[in-house]
Amino acid sequence: MNVSIPNCPVPPEQLPLNEFQSLKESWFFRWSTLSVKQYGIRCLGIWMAFLLFSLPFAYEALVVGRSPLKIFLAANCGATIFMFLVLLRVYLGWRYVRDRLERDVVDYEETGWYDGQRWPKDQGQRDRDILISTYEVRPVMHRLLTTLGAVGSITVLSIFSIMIRTTP
């Protein structure tokens, strides 16, 4: 759904509402808006894919004392770091759109990076954008921040577990 506003100089693809719609429909960002169960399954799938990718590197990195637990913990560190980076990218995309929705003016470029312009939103557009930001974007961002915190904690715990297990 591409929205255009009469007498608006902003190109349609640069309107905050259209940026929100395209972000919501893109395959990379869409999964963060799924139900809690589907979101958890998707996060688990991403973690497992990165874990499988990290296992050979963890096995080769641990020359001394290749216990299965240490290999798993090392692979988990790699998997959670990659997962953290993916989640961070998704979070930053949603934050960018939130910031654009909550501003009183729309910054846009007519033909290129060198001719940036500003266009003030009218009160109706401002109210609509604030509602979208509050009820659709902020809950997704909160979910992503919670997940980022959990993944970061798991990474730190895995690192400390490896350090404790390797200390004589």
Side-chain angles (χ1 to χ4, degrees):
M1 176 179 85
N2 215 1
V3 175
S4 63
I5 300 169
N7 300 324
C8 174
V10 181
E13 67 276 359
Q14 293 182 37
L15 286 170
L17 182 60
N18 291 338
E19 289 176 328
F20 165 71
Q21 286 296 334
S22 63
L23 189 76
K24 194 172 163 183
E25 294 168 0
S26 84
W27 69 270
F28 187 72
F29 294 92
R30 176 181 43 220
W31 63 272
S32 58
T33 63
L34 298 173
S35 70
V36 174
K37 182 180 178 181
Q38 290 176 323
Y39 175 75
I41 290 170
R42 186 68 54 100
C43 285
L44 189 61
I46 292 170
W47 172 77
M48 287 177 68
F50 283 131
L51 184 70
L52 289 174
F53 177 77
S54 299
L55 273 170
F57 295 103
Y59 180 78
E60 288 300 319
L62 297 173
V63 176
V64 179
R66 286 185 176 161
S67 72
L69 179 61
K70 283 171 70 174
I71 292 170
F72 173 78
L73 289 172
N76 187 52
C77 287
T80 54
I81 288 170
F82 282 123
M83 177 132 184
F84 188 87
L85 293 174
V86 167
L87 288 168
L88 184 63
R89 176 63 188 102
V90 173
Y91 174 80
L92 290 174
W94 283 103
R95 191 177 93 182
Y96 171 77
V97 167
R98 183 212 59 195
D99 291 346
R100 297 264 299 162
L101 286 167
E102 292 182 355
R103 287 193 190 122
D104 291 331
V105 295
V106 177
D107 296 319
Y108 69 97
E109 299 165 353
E110 290 184 67
T111 57
W113 60 268
Y114 50 84
D115 63 349
Q117 303 289 327
R118 301 184 85 172
W119 182 71
K121 297 178 187 176
D122 66 26
Q123 190 60 39
Q125 293 163 349
R126 171 107 173 98
D127 292 344
R128 178 200 61 209
D129 288 354
I130 290 293
L131 282 172
I132 290 170
S133 173
T134 302
Y135 292 106
E136 293 198 47
V137 178
R138 285 185 180 269
V140 172
M141 291 177 62
H142 178 70
R143 174 189 284 183
L144 288 166
L145 276 178
T146 303
T147 310
L148 278 166
V151 169
S153 299
I154 292 168
T155 304
V156 169
L157 287 174
S158 292
I159 291 170
F160 282 137
S161 296
I162 291 172
M163 290 171 57
I164 289 170
R165 298 230 356 120
T166 56
T167 308

